[in-house]
Structure formats: C-alpha cells, structure tokens
Amino acid sequence: MSVENVPNGNKQWFVLRVSYGRIDKAKIFVEAKGMECYVPLRYKEVRKQGKKRIIPIPLLPSFIFVYATAEQVETLLHDNKVVANESRSLLSYYFDHTIHLQDNPNRNPPLIIRDEAMNNFIRLTSIKNPHIIPVTSNNIQFKFGDNVVVTEGEFKGVHGKVARIAGQQRVIVELFDGCLVATAYVPKEAMEKYK
C-alpha cells in the first residue's frame, strides 16, 4: 500500500462496517473484486515462550477502508456472494452522522475520508510501534488545540494535534468524528506548529 495515493477522479475512501470477527474475510473479498482497501493494524507486544514478539492485530476491527467509486461500492455491498451461506451481511456502509443528505434530511450519507487525511492515517498506522493506540475524544485534551507536524523520528511527516495521554505527550490523528489514533511519545523538539 503506497502511503501517498494518487487521487483518481471519481474514486474516494469509503468507510465500510465489517460484521464481527470477519475483517480478514472482508479484505480478501474486496481485493478479489479488484478494489484497493486498507485495514489499519496496530502492533502489540507479546511474550511467547519467554521471547518478546510484536504481532499485528486490527486497530479498528469493525472497519475497512475501500478506495473505489460510489458505483463500485454499491455493487460490492449488493453482491450476492457477500451473503451466500451467511445470515448477516459481510459489509455495510458506515454513515457520516455529522451531515444529512440534501434530498433526504432524515438520512446520513456514507462516510468518505479525504485523500489527505487517509494518507496521513496510513502513514501513522503503517509504523510498527506497539505504542500507537486508538483513543476516543473523551479521554484526550488537546493542548491549546495546537496543530503540529512531527519533524523527526519514526513519526516524521505525521500531522495532528498535541495531546497528553497516559502522562505522555503524543500526536493525535483524527480520521473521522470519534476515530482518533495516538502516536507513541513525541518530544517537543520533534514537532513544529503548522496552520
């Protein structure tokens, strides 16, 4: 997966909900249809037989990000193979609860992520560091709301907001309302403000 995706006219990053415990199956299904997708991972430190290992696990096990046209996503969601031999759908839309459809004010549109935000999110979640954690907006407080870019170290180039989590200064990347990811500790010398 390239960190810098080249914008392609009608293609956008759609957030799709995956039925419980089926993230690997969803990724295989989407890729088999010839569509690009991204499953963010986090890297958890575990000990097995006295040895320390870092293993990948889904960061957001209920979501897959699909880069496709709206028509391709509609076809994907209505494909009969998604529900063959299953009582529940493999994939469904995750809706943007911050806005309503213009032609139907009682409905929300599917959530779409801007290319720039998705590239930043992929950059952060591609780093194999066990200290990158998902957070909710309830357990962080932005330090004066400072927007920063990390200027050195393994998080170099990541844009976000400064926050203190677990007593450490970190950079928070928000992908969509309520979906935030925190870096490991970032010293103030390794950041600079941007607007």
Side-chain angles (χ1 to χ4, degrees):
M1 168 76 55
S2 169
V3 173
E4 295 297 333
N5 292 292
V6 178
N8 180 342
N10 298 327
K11 289 188 177 184
Q12 298 173 299
W13 283 104
F14 287 84
V15 181
L16 300 181
R17 188 181 297 277
V18 179
S19 59
Y20 182 76
R22 298 166 75 196
I23 194 77
D24 292 334
K25 190 175 196 174
K27 185 175 189 308
I28 291 166
F29 175 75
V30 171
E31 289 175 342
K33 296 294 181 185
M35 291 180 221
E36 184 178 352
C37 66
Y38 183 68
V39 174
L41 300 173
R42 71 182 182 101
Y43 297 87
K44 184 177 180 180
E45 202 172 278
V46 296
R47 289 204 175 268
K48 277 197 172 178
Q49 300 171 340
K51 293 185 180 181
K52 185 171 72 169
R53 290 186 12 193
I54 295 178
I55 60 166
I57 58 175
L59 179 72
L60 305 166
S62 300
F63 297 108
I64 188 168
F65 301 86
V66 177
Y67 190 63
T69 65
E71 295 78 17
Q72 288 174 316
V73 172
E74 272 296 315
T75 302
L76 183 74
L77 296 180
H78 291 96
D79 191 310
N80 290 330
K81 292 180 184 172
V82 175
V83 292
N85 302 323
E86 297 281 346
S87 60
R88 59 198 164 129
S89 294
L90 177 63
L91 298 167
S92 60
Y93 281 118
Y94 183 75
F95 295 100
D96 186 344
H97 299 286
T98 63
I99 58 175
H100 298 285
L101 291 171
Q102 289 180 349
D103 58 341
N104 187 348
N106 296 324
R107 300 232 17 221
N108 303 97
L111 182 61
I112 297 169
I113 307 299
R114 292 181 350 268
D115 288 338
E116 179 184 340
M118 194 67 195
N119 288 336
N120 196 41
F121 181 69
I122 291 170
R123 178 180 284 121
L124 173 60
T125 57
S126 295
I127 298 168
K128 294 180 181 178
N129 183 315
H131 301 287
I132 296 172
I133 57 173
V135 294
T136 65
S137 54
N138 296 339
N139 67 352
I140 64 166
Q141 291 183 336
F142 296 133
K143 182 182 175 188
F144 309 116
D146 287 346
N147 290 312
V148 297
V149 60
V150 180
T151 58
E152 53 189 77
E154 67 182 334
F155 301 113
K156 184 177 181 175
V158 171
H159 291 73
K161 292 187 182 259
V162 176
R164 279 195 83 70
I165 298 174
Q168 293 183 328
Q169 180 171 270
R170 300 173 185 236
V171 175
I172 303 297
V173 170
E174 182 172 19
L175 189 59
F176 56 87
D177 190 34
C179 179
L180 303 120
V181 180
T183 66
Y185 169 74
V186 177
K188 63 182 175 192
E189 309 80 54
M191 294 185 284
E192 63 183 45
K193 285 186 185 181
Y194 79 94
K195 291 186 180 205

